[in-house]
Amino acid sequence: MKRIITAIVTCLVAITAVAQEKADIEISYTASRVNLRDGSNLTPNQYILLANAKESKFYSPMTEYLDSLQSTPEGEARYKEMARGAYLGGKLDEMPRRDGSYYIFKNLNGNKMMYYDVNGVEKYCYEEEIPQIEWELTDSNKTILGYECQMATGNLHGRKWKVWFTPEVPVMNGPWKFSGLPGLILEATDDSGLYNFTATGIQQTGRLMMLMYSADDYEKISRIEFLKAKRQFIDNPLGTMNTQLSAFGITIGDATTKLEYKPREEVDFIETDY
């Protein structure tokens, strides 16, 4: 019995240690996004990067709030009550909505990254090595949020990026999947101008980098498989949704209905190498 109790205590200590990993810095970013149907700019998502020297978490606080609600029966009931109240009150702008869908956890010491996202009603996750971008430093400089920044360029998963980083904040990290520069990345824009991350605030913090809610609900997949599944959804959204919902006996429309999207050559995902 003593051995069992010792083992349980050891596990609890380990779990607590993981759950209590604290960030040293918190950066707010706007993340631009594009309408794949017509190439127009949509309202940017709001993301946060929590980071220390070893780990980081990039996520949407609104999305995490809703995921936290829906992770318990009580929270799910509260979520439905909020949605119903907004709908019946004719206040559709107050309907609880996710603001950005993905989470990215980086382990810099282990050179690993976990990515969580959704495709329709299905949830997926994959693990990969942190991308080793061959950054090329330039002589260009500008000031962002009061920090002197230097420009660097590099390629990542099919797109060429221009980023601005500040050595004044010695955190080798940045928004989305960026890292590997001698300072914090405060801005990143791809050559097409369709995708952009811009820091809007930065502060010291002691916030916990909370783990994923309902992580077991996410099906493991590879990055390329996930992108191909997203493309299949874009090419035939109603058909894909009906396939996903068939197990529940739900049909949401005529699967033969076509929604017109611009071709990949004109407008594509942030990653194009699939």
Side-chain angles (χ1 to χ4, degrees):
M1 176 63 72
K2 182 178 180 180
R3 186 176 300 174
I4 294 174
I5 293 175
T6 301
I8 293 175
V9 171
T10 301
C11 290
L12 289 175
V13 170
I15 292 171
T16 302
V18 172
Q20 289 183 342
E21 184 69 33
K22 291 184 178 181
D24 296 325
I25 193 168
E26 175 182 329
I27 309 95
S28 303
Y29 291 90
T30 57
S32 67
R33 56 196 180 116
V34 62
N35 187 331
L36 297 176
R37 295 186 63 183
D38 58 17
S40 63
N41 293 322
L42 297 171
T43 302
N45 296 131
Q46 306 299 316
Y47 274 86
I48 285 178
L49 175 68
L50 296 176
N52 58 33
K54 302 180 297 180
E55 298 183 7
S56 68
K57 174 183 178 180
F58 190 66
Y59 69 105
S60 159
M62 175 56 72
T63 297
E64 183 174 65
Y65 167 67
L66 294 179
D67 285 344
S68 70
L69 279 181
Q70 295 185 287
S71 66
T72 66
E74 297 80 10
E76 176 69 18
R78 172 59 180 156
Y79 171 79
K80 290 179 178 178
E81 178 184 339
M82 292 165 58
R84 182 173 181 273
Y87 179 77
L88 293 178
K91 300 178 180 179
L92 298 184
D93 57 333
E94 297 181 8
M95 188 79 71
R97 294 183 178 89
R98 283 163 170 72
D99 179 36
S101 62
Y102 59 82
Y103 298 76
I104 298 177
F105 295 83
K106 297 174 191 162
N107 182 330
L108 299 182
N109 286 351
N111 193 36
K112 294 294 183 182
M113 179 172 65
M114 283 299 303
Y115 182 96
Y116 297 84
D117 206 347
V118 298
N119 181 42
V121 298
E122 295 185 338
K123 299 179 178 181
Y124 295 101
C125 68
Y126 60 81
E127 180 182 82
E128 63 177 351
E129 292 186 352
I130 295 175
Q132 301 302 303
I133 304 171
E134 294 184 4
W135 293 112
E136 181 177 339
L137 303 182
T138 75
D139 295 328
S140 298
N141 296 278
K142 73 174 180 178
T143 301
I144 301 174
L145 296 177
Y147 293 92
E148 193 67 24
C149 297
Q150 181 178 356
M151 190 179 85
T153 61
N155 297 303
L156 177 58
H157 296 322
R159 291 188 182 275
K160 184 174 182 179
W161 290 86
K162 176 175 65 178
V163 307
W164 297 89
F165 71 97
T166 175
E168 295 179 27
V169 183
V171 175
M172 298 177 64
N173 214 319
W176 192 49
K177 297 184 176 183
F178 299 118
S179 64
L181 284 165
L184 178 67
I185 297 172
L186 293 179
E187 185 176 315
T189 304
D190 86 296
D191 264 8
S192 72
L194 294 176
Y195 294 96
N196 170 273
F197 299 91
T198 301
T200 58
I202 180 171
Q203 62 183 357
Q204 292 183 322
T205 187
R207 289 182 59 186
L208 300 177
M209 288 186 275
M210 302 295 292
L211 302 179
M212 277 292 298
Y213 287 98
S214 306
D216 291 342
D217 293 343
Y218 288 76
E219 178 184 344
K220 291 184 178 179
I221 195 172
S222 73
R223 183 179 70 86
I224 298 298
E225 287 173 331
F226 174 69
L227 291 169
K228 288 181 177 179
K230 284 185 67 177
R231 172 50 56 182
Q232 181 180 17
F233 182 86
I234 290 298
D235 291 340
N236 185 13
L238 291 178
T240 304
M241 285 286 285
N242 282 327
T243 297
Q244 294 176 354
L245 294 170
S246 61
F248 304 97
I250 299 174
T251 301
I252 59 174
D254 184 358
T256 64
T257 302
K258 293 290 291 183
L259 296 177
E260 295 297 326
Y261 286 85
K262 281 187 170 291
R264 283 184 58 183
E265 293 75 20
E266 295 183 35
V267 181
D268 203 357
F269 302 137
I270 193 171
E271 296 171 288
T272 65
D273 59 339
Y274 58 97

